[in-house]
Amino acid sequence: MTNKKLIYIFIHLLFLYFFQEESFAQEKAKIFGKITDEKNNPIEYVNIGIFDITNPIGITTDHNGKYALTIPANIQLTIIASFTGFESQKEKILLAPNNIKEINFKLKKITNQLPEFVIQDTRTRNSSLNRLNPKNVSQIPSVSGGVESIIKMMPGVSSNNELSSQYNVRGGNYDENLVYVNDIEIYRPLLVRSGQQEGLSFVNSDLVSSILFSAGGFDARYGDKMSSVLDIKYKKPTSFAGNVSMSLLGASMHLEGTLMNSRLSYLIGARQKSNQYLLNSMQTKGEYRPSFTDIQTLLTYDFSEKLELSFLGNYARNIYNVVPENRETDFGTINQALRLKIYFDGQELDRFETFFGALSLNYKPKSNINIKNTISAFQSYEEETFDIQGQYWLSQLEADFGKETFAQEAFNLGVGTYINHARNYLNSTVINFENRGSVAKTYHFIQWGAKYQLEQIVDKLNEWKLVDSSDYTLPNPPDSIGSNNPPHYPLELQNVYKAKNDLSSNRVSGFIQDTWTIDGDTNRLSLTSGIRFSYWDLNQELLVSPRATISYKPRWEKDIVLRFSTGLYYQSPFYRELRDQKGVLNLNLKSQESIHFVAGMDWNLTIWDRPFKFVSEAYYKYLNNLIPYEIDNVRIRYSAKNEAHGYATGIDFRLNGEFVKGIESWASLSIMQTQENIDNDSYVDNNGNTIEPGFIPRPTDQRVVFSLFFQDYLPRIPNIKMHLNLVYGASLPFGPPNSERYKQTLRIPAYRRVDIGSSYLLKSKTAKLSSKNIFRKLETIWISVEVFNLLQISNTISYIWISDVSNRQYAVPNYLTPRQLNVKLVVEF
């Protein structure tokens, strides 16, 4: 079926949905109301549901604590309101056809107990999105921390670098993931090449109220990337609150509240991080001076119940400065144990400074209509400068157990010097004007959007490497070896990248989609279908992307929802894809293409009389117009050519629930394969035969990933809890630098890591303190002790390649962080 035929079918279906008569209507009534706490503050995301009918229905409250729900008439029903941390409430009701009734609930806070009833967000469950609990972010023992620590443990997601917040999804790379905060797409710096430099991610977990994540098959309302979407919503405060957190890795604080008779709400967060404590334990010894700072705010003013103005702002400054001194690494096998010693001169100084601001006007002319206009701007100033000289000694170690010199240096294999130089500067500006809207009908939820985007990039690249092995520079000039009087040649540098690029371009994009409850009030069968378009004036490419998800809840005793998603996902190039490894831009580069087929199951079940959820998805992604790339640490370098096609296929499993009564744990397993076939990559072997490499593993081809997050507590002292984070990731492909892609099929050892933490609740919300006690106004006080890399496993992130005069190369592993101890204090008020 051609793309034009497929597009025609989707458009035809959309018009049928929008203008059909609601033939499925039956006798019904309506309830509405508001949910508040004991202080009359509205509560967002409260679950409102009806479960004593054949087909349960439900909805969640908005940021004003309000809800509206259409229900069957002439039937006695039980309305249930529940929310984590509050006592559930219920009320019986019997309404005549077309009656409307207001039902308000006031929920009471509880501690150390889960709600009696768990209501599902039906709209989310019928989509490819997974809703995650933001409260678990602070519980997971993690070096990088943040919301990404939860995302990395989702099925289909992998990350082999605890120092980075980046992640791969189902065979894609870091650049293929969408991130939204309050419906605004978030960008990140482009020059970062290692987890040590990266610093803080944009999302501040202290400010988060909602986390939605999809690993594929997502809706048309989300943008043009090929792998995943992370949809974050920040809080809208209703009362004064805040927290302060301090640890050996940094500190953070946030304040929230309302002013002007609750018309103005404010949310302010600040973070300071320094991974100096971690870096000092790594192979390369030296003076590390990293400093990562971030300030964010969300201000919202309600002119009326219909009109709201909000401002989201962020300033981030990430500075990475290191003066390396020496390094010693043992590697190899038992029969050939090697040791590399390097003594350094010079330093590295990197600076990444970003500014972000977004102004949104939200208008609700009617209760079922919402229109949002947003102006946003992102600006980044990036500097990467280093001059580092390394003098190295490569030695073979004594492998005879019977000798006194066992494991000591037996003889020298090579001596050399290398110099790395860089003066890289990049300034980027992205400005957006966007309109989004939605209309909720009885059996339809229609959404649309249109966006104009201006991009400006100024890039200055100056980078090279010089290698001098045993008094010979590499690569060797002709006739310079084996001669007593070699001719004079100037020094020849390696990896010379010099370029100056100034680029400005415009993009236009939009979408329309509808979620149709096909079988009316039973809510067993629903279809979400939509279509996206985008146009980029740089390569004059017009893209049309239809997408659809259908979900069905069979009439089984088991609470199971079946889903199938498919769609066409284009990824239009951004600046990083346009630039090849030498800094040259390909302005004719076209979009990469991925067609998703995702079949899934969502099963709510009971084990040990406790609630659990089992989710499984099988998928196949056809990939076309691919731009091959290489990964070094977190740095991605593209070929800047559409010269490959490929696929990604696999299956994901996730089981989460109360493994221990009252607290959530989960386990995820992913099995995946992704390969690509690069055009015109044949070569002639030593026998004169032409060899076609065919399909080769992509750089993110990680066959098996397993993760486990487990929580427990002492039965007699529930205020003492344990948190375990276990990750296993199978080996990833790699190869020698500057080699052909078909040669990069060696494998890095598997990533294995266990982090564990123990926390103690020093003060709970229910603690009764005297009026003179200075802690009486504090909600909770937690203290935690964490052990990172409990099993002291040396995980490899990349390799440094050492050459001798004969140009024989040795791959020396760069290891990640060893076992470290962290202490954390969290105070909430």
Side-chain angles (χ1 to χ4, degrees):
M1 182 179 293
T2 65
N3 284 347
K4 290 184 178 179
K5 289 183 178 179
L6 190 62
I7 292 166
Y8 171 80
I9 291 173
F10 271 86
I11 294 175
H12 184 66
L13 286 174
L14 284 171
F15 275 90
L16 284 177
Y17 300 162
F18 296 159
F19 299 110
Q20 68 173 323
E21 294 294 330
E22 296 181 352
S23 58
F24 297 97
Q26 64 182 49
E27 291 186 330
K28 53 188 178 293
K30 185 176 181 180
I31 60 173
F32 70 96
K34 186 175 183 179
I35 314 300
T36 60
D37 60 17
E38 296 171 283
K39 298 180 181 179
N40 292 321
N41 297 313
I43 309 174
E44 189 177 7
Y45 299 117
V46 175
N47 298 297
I48 309 296
I50 299 174
F51 289 86
D52 49 0
I53 54 178
T54 305
N55 305 300
I57 57 177
I59 198 170
T60 58
T61 58
D62 62 16
H63 64 272
N64 293 316
K66 295 182 179 180
Y67 75 94
L69 184 64
T70 301
I71 63 174
N74 295 326
I75 302 175
Q76 184 167 335
L77 305 171
T78 302
I79 314 298
I80 300 170
S82 73
F83 188 65
T84 303
F86 290 82
E87 292 182 1
S88 299
Q89 291 192 18
K90 55 186 177 180
E91 180 173 326
K92 293 186 180 296
I93 187 173
L94 174 61
L95 294 181
N98 300 319
N99 277 11
I100 300 175
K101 184 175 181 179
E102 180 177 1
I103 301 177
N104 301 318
F105 291 101
K106 182 174 290 187
L107 303 185
K108 296 181 180 179
K109 285 189 177 182
I110 57 175
T111 57
N112 296 325
Q113 184 180 344
L114 290 185
E116 181 182 354
F117 303 95
V118 179
I119 317 297
Q120 295 299 323
D121 185 342
T122 304
R123 187 176 296 162
T124 298
R125 197 179 182 202
N126 290 341
S127 72
S128 64
L129 294 166
N130 292 279
R131 187 178 293 279
L132 307 177
N133 186 355
K135 294 183 179 180
N136 287 326
V137 174
S138 61
Q139 306 297 331
I140 296 180
S142 168
V143 170
S144 59
V147 169
E148 292 80 7
S149 61
I150 287 186
I151 303 303
K152 289 180 180 181
M153 304 191 71
M154 292 294 292
V157 182
S158 64
S159 175
N160 282 26
N161 189 345
E162 65 270 10
L163 292 172
S164 172
S165 61
Q166 303 304 319
Y167 49 86
N168 307 313
V169 180
R170 292 179 177 172
N173 65 36
Y174 311 137
D175 291 336
E176 298 177 16
N177 304 317
L178 285 163
V179 178
Y180 288 90
V181 173
N182 288 10
D183 299 322
I184 304 165
E185 187 174 351
I186 302 302
Y187 298 88
R188 61 188 181 94
L190 299 175
L191 290 184
V192 175
R193 68 173 67 199
S194 71
Q196 292 95 313
Q197 301 171 336
E198 189 175 299
L200 295 162
S201 72
F202 182 93
V203 180
N204 186 334
S205 58
D206 291 335
L207 313 184
V208 172
S209 67
S210 169
I211 305 173
L212 293 173
F213 177 76
S214 173
F218 44 89
D219 295 342
R221 64 191 172 109
Y222 295 115
D224 297 301
K225 292 289 181 75
M226 295 197 300
S227 289
S228 75
V229 59
L230 174 61
D231 189 350
I232 299 290
K233 291 292 189 297
Y234 276 179
K235 303 174 185 176
K236 185 177 181 182
T238 57
S239 60
F240 178 75
N243 80 322
V244 176
S245 175
M246 294 174 287
S247 75
L248 298 179
L249 301 179
S252 67
M253 64 85 65
H254 103 275
L255 294 172
E256 62 182 75
T258 61
L259 299 170
M260 303 172 63
N261 295 323
S262 297
R263 283 189 175 275
L264 175 66
S265 66
Y266 61 88
L267 188 63
I268 303 172
R271 296 177 291 175
Q272 170 64 36
K273 179 182 177 182
S274 173
N275 53 14
Q276 181 179 18
Y277 171 63
L278 292 171
L279 299 179
N280 284 334
S281 65
M282 297 183 70
Q283 297 164 284
T284 301
K285 306 301 178 183
E287 186 178 352
Y288 291 90
R289 294 188 294 266
S291 177
F292 312 123
T293 305
D294 166 273
I295 299 174
Q296 289 190 41
T297 185
L298 175 61
L299 304 175
T300 305
Y301 184 78
D302 292 330
F303 292 97
S304 66
E305 290 189 357
K306 294 184 177 182
L307 190 62
E308 173 186 282
L309 181 68
S310 66
F311 171 77
L312 175 64
N314 170 263
Y315 168 74
R317 186 192 64 184
N318 296 332
I319 297 175
Y320 177 75
N321 181 213
V322 57
V323 182
E325 295 175 356
N326 60 79
R327 164 181 173 165
E328 182 175 307
T329 303
D330 292 341
F331 64 104
T333 64
I334 295 177
N335 295 327
Q336 189 183 23
L338 304 173
R339 175 173 293 164
L340 174 69
K341 288 184 178 180
I342 307 179
Y343 295 92
F344 297 100
D345 288 312
Q347 68 170 329
E348 177 178 355
L349 176 60
D350 307 320
R351 183 184 182 95
F352 307 95
E353 192 170 21
T354 61
F355 301 83
F356 173 84
L359 191 65
S360 299
L361 184 65
N362 202 59
Y363 177 54
K364 293 184 177 181
K366 296 182 179 180
S367 60
N368 66 328
I369 299 177
N370 188 79
I371 300 172
K372 185 176 184 178
N373 293 292
T374 301
I375 301 174
S376 64
F378 168 84
Q379 194 160 39
S380 175
Y381 301 97
E382 306 175 39
E383 300 177 6
E384 183 185 42
T385 61
F386 53 79
D387 285 290
I388 296 178
Q389 173 184 275
Q391 297 176 315
Y392 65 85
W393 284 259
L394 181 65
S395 304
Q396 184 161 332
L397 305 182
E398 179 59 63
D400 189 343
F401 286 93
K403 293 186 177 181
E404 294 183 358
T405 57
F406 171 72
Q408 297 182 19
E409 296 178 11
F411 56 89
N412 184 266
L413 294 176
V415 178
T417 300
Y418 67 84
I419 299 175
N420 287 330
H421 166 89
R423 293 293 185 274
N424 300 329
Y425 305 93
L426 188 146
N427 298 336
S428 59
T429 302
V430 180
I431 300 174
N432 285 288
F433 300 88
E434 184 173 15
N435 169 265
R436 282 177 178 256
S438 64
V439 176
K441 295 185 176 182
T442 305
Y443 302 119
H444 292 274
F445 183 62
I446 304 166
Q447 299 177 77
W448 69 86
K451 182 169 73 170
Y452 164 75
Q453 179 169 299
L454 169 65
E455 301 167 8
Q456 294 179 328
I457 306 289
V458 178
D459 180 23
K460 296 181 180 179
L461 178 67
N462 184 358
E463 185 175 334
W464 52 259
K465 181 178 182 179
L466 173 67
V467 177
D468 181 3
S469 180
S470 300
D471 294 327
Y472 293 98
T473 61
L474 296 176
N476 305 119
D479 301 325
S480 63
I481 298 178
S483 172
N484 293 327
N485 297 298
H488 174 73
Y489 291 95
L491 291 179
E492 187 171 348
L493 303 177
Q494 295 183 19
N495 303 337
V496 179
Y497 311 130
K498 289 190 176 183
K500 291 183 179 180
N501 299 315
D502 192 339
L503 188 66
S504 180
S505 63
N506 303 273
R507 298 180 196 258
V508 178
S509 62
F511 73 92
I512 183 170
Q513 76 172 45
D514 176 42
T515 299
W516 177 26
T517 306
I518 298 176
D519 58 345
D521 290 328
T522 61
N523 200 30
R524 286 190 175 275
L525 182 63
S526 70
L527 173 65
T528 298
S529 58
I531 193 164
R532 285 192 66 83
F533 78 88
S534 65
Y535 176 77
W536 192 24
D537 67 353
L538 188 70
N539 60 6
Q540 299 182 350
E541 188 177 35
L542 176 63
L543 305 174
V544 180
S545 172
R547 305 174 189 177
T549 297
I550 187 168
S551 67
Y552 175 63
K553 189 177 188 300
R555 297 181 182 274
W556 300 341
E557 291 184 4
K558 296 178 180 178
D559 184 7
I560 294 177
V561 173
L562 304 176
R563 293 191 302 264
F564 178 76
S565 301
T566 187
L568 183 58
Y569 296 81
Y570 288 102
Q571 179 155 334
S572 185
F574 199 61
Y575 181 74
R576 196 204 300 266
E577 291 96 319
L578 292 175
R579 194 181 79 175
D580 69 11
Q581 298 183 9
K582 294 183 179 180
V584 179
L585 299 184
N586 178 7
L587 301 183
N588 295 315
L589 193 69
K590 300 302 182 182
S591 297
Q592 300 180 90
E593 177 185 331
S594 176
I595 302 177
H596 291 197
F597 302 94
V598 184
M601 177 188 73
D602 185 309
W603 180 14
N604 291 331
L605 67 158
T606 300
I607 304 176
W608 307 314
D609 293 325
R610 301 172 199 157
F612 280 81
K613 176 186 283 288
F614 177 72
V615 178
S616 177
E617 287 188 336
Y619 60 91
Y620 178 84
K621 299 194 293 186
Y622 172 73
L623 310 172
N624 195 27
N625 273 353
L626 291 178
I627 308 170
Y629 61 88
E630 300 174 3
I631 298 179
D632 181 13
N633 203 305
V634 299
R635 186 191 195 190
I636 301 176
R637 298 193 300 170
Y638 291 91
S639 70
K641 297 177 182 178
N642 298 110
E643 55 180 354
H645 63 277
Y647 68 89
T649 185
I651 188 168
D652 299 330
F653 306 94
R654 184 175 190 254
L655 178 67
N656 69 294
E658 297 183 30
F659 289 87
V660 175
K661 188 174 182 179
I663 52 179
E664 183 184 12
S665 302
W666 65 80
S668 299
L669 173 65
S670 299
I671 301 171
M672 184 272 297
Q673 182 181 48
T674 181
Q675 293 188 318
E676 64 186 3
N677 189 349
I678 300 176
D679 301 335
N680 304 316
D681 63 343
S682 61
Y683 63 95
V684 179
D685 64 12
N686 294 331
N687 298 322
N689 301 316
T690 300
I691 305 298
E692 293 284 350
F695 281 93
I696 59 175
R698 302 193 78 201
T700 53
D701 180 45
Q702 195 165 32
R703 301 296 173 84
V704 179
V705 176
F706 175 78
S707 61
L708 171 69
F709 175 59
F710 180 76
Q711 298 188 90
D712 199 356
Y713 58 86
L714 295 180
R716 295 187 178 182
I717 315 176
N719 287 344
I720 298 180
K721 296 183 179 181
M722 183 275 295
H723 319 277
L724 177 71
N725 180 14
L726 181 150
V727 178
Y728 170 83
S731 58
L732 285 166
F734 80 103
N738 305 316
S739 63
E740 300 294 334
R741 274 283 293 118
Y742 62 80
K743 295 181 180 179
Q744 299 175 12
T745 56
L746 304 172
R747 291 278 175 170
I748 293 175
Y751 182 84
R752 298 160 295 162
R753 187 176 177 91
V754 178
D755 299 327
I756 192 170
S758 180
S759 60
Y760 178 57
L761 181 61
L762 296 175
K763 180 192 178 298
S764 68
K765 295 179 180 179
T766 58
K768 296 182 180 180
L769 302 177
S770 67
S771 59
K772 296 182 180 180
N773 194 307
I774 59 174
F775 299 112
R776 70 186 184 279
K777 292 187 178 181
L778 302 180
E779 291 278 325
T780 60
I781 303 176
W782 286 93
I783 187 169
S784 303
V785 177
E786 300 171 326
V787 181
F788 301 135
N789 197 358
L790 177 68
L791 303 182
Q792 186 71 342
I793 297 172
S794 298
N795 288 307
T796 301
I797 183 59
S798 61
Y799 290 87
I800 179 174
W801 292 83
I802 299 297
S803 303
D804 58 20
V805 69
S806 63
N807 210 23
R808 180 183 178 185
Q809 293 185 313
Y810 299 86
V812 184
N814 294 315
Y815 295 123
L816 287 164
T817 56
R819 183 190 297 126
Q820 289 290 96
L821 182 70
N822 186 38
V823 179
K824 182 167 63 175
L825 177 68
V826 179
V827 178
E828 298 178 341
F829 51 88

